[in-house]
């Protein structure tokens, strides 16, 4: 028996075409059976591109169920409602995006820390180690943020805000930022006094930890190295260390590369560089100790 559709190949399977009283059973070849199945799928799932959307955005609506050959092609009411709602949503998104572009935020500038007393800066960044140690730095950041100013630290080699040195970014007048910087440095100065007079255990713990790592570490990244030197600088400024002075510590701080450049090295090369740095610091800080003045305070 030949296929009842193509009348060429042998009939191999039976299919039903049509619905209800008009349904008929046909014996067809596999190729015609496949073509008939694809034709039914196309009729039962129709996708229409929605026009009128903003550039770069598209939407399609799929009709699920039998297609009505007598339909005039108009969408059912609920489909139209969905399309309108979607277009309204896209319109709102576009308006919000455009408004965001149109809104120009405040212009921020970097405060030139080189004008600040050298005791409270490292290079061109403010040194706020004492505020960090007494636990008041976060409150200071929040207060500055309310004034449209921010303290921007340095993240290096996995160390967040290494050494607690910051660039002060501000918007507004230079007179205002000058007054704020004066207040900020006064708070850092008071924090250093509090560390020495009221919180010797906190200060001593920071110093002893830094010295212990310098003397015994086996790997030392630039970021961690810089971070450890930071509290030691305060101690050297107060003449609490034997074996190293503030000038050398400050020189080492300024010369430290905080760009995380060693991240580009292969792991083996990076470990080798960290190991060499650690060995150098082990030797350099072997004879660096707290002096008698510090011991009276901390021990």
């Amino acid at each position: 028996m030949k296929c009842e559709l193509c009348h060429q190949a042998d009939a191999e399977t039976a299919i039903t075409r049509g619905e209800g009283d008009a349904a008929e059973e046909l014996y067809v070849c596999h190729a015609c059976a496949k073509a008939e199945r694809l034709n039914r799928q196309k009729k039962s799932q129709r996708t229409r591109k929605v026009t009128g959307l903003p550039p770069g955005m598209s939407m399609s609506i799929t009709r699920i169920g039998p297609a009505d050959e007598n339909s005039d092609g108009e969408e059912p009411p609920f489909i139209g409602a969905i399309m309108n709602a979607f277009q309204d949503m896209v319109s709102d998104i576009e308006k919000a995006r455009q408004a965001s572009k149109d809104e120009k935020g405040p212009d921020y500038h970097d405060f030139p820390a080189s004008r600040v007393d050298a005791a409270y800066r490292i290079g061109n960044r403010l040194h706020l180690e004492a505020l960090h140690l007494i636990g008041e730095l976060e409150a200071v950041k929040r207060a500055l943020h309310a004034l449209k100013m921010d303290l921007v630290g340095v993240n290096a080699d996995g160390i967040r805000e290494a050494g607690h040195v910051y660039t002060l970014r501000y918007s507004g007048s230079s007179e205002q930022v000058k007054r704020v910087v004066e207040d900020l440095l006064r708070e850092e100065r008071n924090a250093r006094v509090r560390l020495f007079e009221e919180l010797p255990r906190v200060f001593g713990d920071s110093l002893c930890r830094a010295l212990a790592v310098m003397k015994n570490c086996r790997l030392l990244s630039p970021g961690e190295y810089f971070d450890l030197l930071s509290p030691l600088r305060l101690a050297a400024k107060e003449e609490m260390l034997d074996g190293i002075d503030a000038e050398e510590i400050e020189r080492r701080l300024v010369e430290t590369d905080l760009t995380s450049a060693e991240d580009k090295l292969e792991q083996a090369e990076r470990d080798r560089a960290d190991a060499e740095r650690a060995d150098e610091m082990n030797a350099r800080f072997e004879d660096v100790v707290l002096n008698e003045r510090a011991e009276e305070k901390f021990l």
Side-chain angles (χ1 to χ4, degrees):
M1 180 179 177
K2 293 297 184 180
C3 172
E4 293 185 79
L5 291 178
C6 70
H7 306 291
Q8 295 180 1
D10 292 336
E12 299 171 289
T13 185
I15 65 171
T16 301
R17 187 165 67 172
E19 296 183 0
D21 296 337
E24 59 178 336
E25 186 177 63
L26 300 176
Y27 293 92
V28 299
C29 63
H30 285 313
C32 288
K34 180 178 180 181
E36 186 68 16
R37 185 173 63 254
L38 292 175
N39 188 48
R40 288 198 305 271
Q41 290 177 354
K42 290 179 181 179
K43 287 184 178 180
S44 64
Q45 296 184 6
R46 187 174 70 183
T47 299
R48 175 177 299 157
K49 190 92 168 183
V50 177
T51 59
L53 296 181
M57 299 195 69
S58 63
M59 175 185 177
S60 63
I61 301 295
T62 300
R63 175 178 296 151
I64 305 299
D68 185 355
E69 296 180 356
N70 297 320
S71 171
D72 59 5
E74 294 183 359
E75 302 90 349
F78 80 94
I79 294 294
I82 292 176
M83 292 165 57
N84 291 336
F86 185 82
Q87 287 177 313
D88 290 343
M89 178 185 72
V90 171
S91 177
D92 290 342
I93 292 174
E94 287 299 308
K95 289 178 181 177
R97 183 183 300 171
Q98 189 60 43
S100 177
K101 290 181 180 179
D102 294 340
E103 289 180 2
K104 185 179 180 181
D107 292 329
Y108 279 84
H109 310 279
D110 291 350
F111 180 79
S114 57
R115 302 176 184 176
V116 169
D117 186 336
Y120 301 100
R121 63 180 171 85
I122 295 175
N124 199 35
R125 297 186 178 99
L126 302 176
H127 188 209
L128 306 177
E129 181 68 29
L131 281 170
H132 162 68
L133 289 175
I134 69 173
E136 293 185 0
L137 187 54
E138 292 305 315
V140 168
K141 289 181 182 179
R142 290 193 296 271
L144 288 173
H145 190 72
L147 296 172
K148 292 184 171 56
M149 301 182 188
D150 288 304
L151 289 173
V152 181
V154 181
N155 299 329
D157 305 304
I159 305 298
R160 182 175 176 272
E161 299 185 357
H164 302 102
V165 295
Y166 300 91
T167 297
L168 177 62
R169 305 200 68 221
Y170 71 97
S171 65
S173 67
S174 57
E175 290 75 15
Q176 181 191 34
V177 73
K178 288 177 182 177
R179 292 194 300 270
V180 170
V181 169
E182 289 175 1
D183 293 340
L184 179 59
L185 297 184
R186 185 184 65 247
E187 293 304 313
E188 172 65 15
R189 181 166 55 251
N190 292 340
R192 294 182 184 186
V193 173
R194 284 190 60 193
L195 277 176
F196 187 73
E197 299 293 342
E198 302 175 23
L199 301 170
R201 175 74 65 167
V202 173
F203 195 12
D205 179 73
S206 177
L207 300 180
C208 291
R209 286 176 184 270
L211 285 174
V213 174
M214 288 292 201
K215 292 172 182 283
N216 298 285
C217 61
R218 308 311 301 145
L219 295 170
L220 187 63
S221 69
E224 185 180 12
Y225 170 58
F226 187 88
D227 198 57
L228 293 169
L229 287 174
S230 181
L232 294 178
R233 181 194 188 225
L234 298 188
K237 285 284 187 184
E238 294 292 333
E239 299 181 350
M240 294 181 174
L241 299 177
D242 281 344
I244 195 169
D245 58 21
E247 183 179 354
E248 179 180 347
I249 291 178
E250 289 176 354
R251 175 179 56 78
R252 289 179 175 274
L253 283 164
V254 171
E255 293 176 353
T256 302
D257 182 1
L258 296 178
T259 63
S260 297
E262 292 183 4
D263 286 350
K264 301 176 183 178
L265 301 176
E266 295 292 335
Q267 188 61 49
E269 295 177 347
R270 184 173 179 177
D271 287 346
R272 187 178 305 111
D274 288 350
E276 291 176 355
R277 188 178 298 106
D279 291 344
E280 179 186 351
M281 292 307 106
N282 293 167
R284 176 62 190 89
F285 281 84
E286 181 179 6
D287 296 324
V288 176
V289 295
L290 299 180
N291 60 23
E292 293 181 0
R293 182 166 180 259
E295 289 179 349
E296 291 176 359
K297 279 285 182 183
F298 307 141
L299 301 180

